[in-house]
């Protein structure tokens, strides 16, 4: 799953956004944000994947958060776009 629930949580923290605010902007319930952020499974239900995609879009488009994959020189992470 990309980005992982762990990265979504990190992106939200970086942006300083409350779960409730992210939920409203992503068009989901706050409980959905909470469940997704604590999911540590390798496989994900298609509905949860849609929630992650919605939250990713909000974090990227509204808050300038960038998710990046692991590379040869660094691990995966989040940062603000330049």
């Amino acid at each position: 799953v990309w980005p992982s629930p762990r990265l979504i949580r990190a992106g939200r923290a970086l942006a300083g956004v409350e779960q409730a605010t992210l939920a409203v902007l992503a068009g989901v319930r706050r409980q959905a944000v909470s469940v997704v952020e604590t999911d540590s499974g390798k496989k994900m239900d298609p509905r949860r994947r849609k929630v992650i995609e919605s939250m990713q879009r909000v974090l990227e488009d509204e808050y300038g958060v960038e998710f990046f994959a692991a590379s040869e020189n660094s691990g995966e992470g989040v940062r603000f776009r330049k």
Side-chain angles (χ1 to χ4, degrees), residues 38-70:
T38 58
D39 191 334
S40 61
K42 296 291 180 193
K43 293 186 178 182
M44 187 162 291
D45 176 287
R47 292 170 294 179
R48 283 199 189 157
R49 185 179 299 275
K50 286 187 182 224
V51 171
I52 283 183
E53 290 169 356
S54 295
M55 293 190 305
Q56 177 185 6
R57 249 188 319 277
V58 169
L59 291 169
E60 290 175 341
D61 297 345
E62 301 295 323
Y63 294 97
V65 172
E66 179 179 35
F67 298 91
F68 58 94

Side-chain angles (χ1 to χ4, degrees), residues 69-80:
S71 70
E72 189 175 302
N73 299 320
S74 67
E76 66 182 14
V78 295
R79 63 185 170 211
F80 284 119

Side-chain angles (χ1 to χ4, degrees), residues 17-31:
V17 181
E18 297 288 330
Q19 283 184 343
T21 302
L22 179 58
V24 167
L25 294 172
V28 300
R29 296 175 63 201
R30 193 209 53 82
Q31 291 86 347

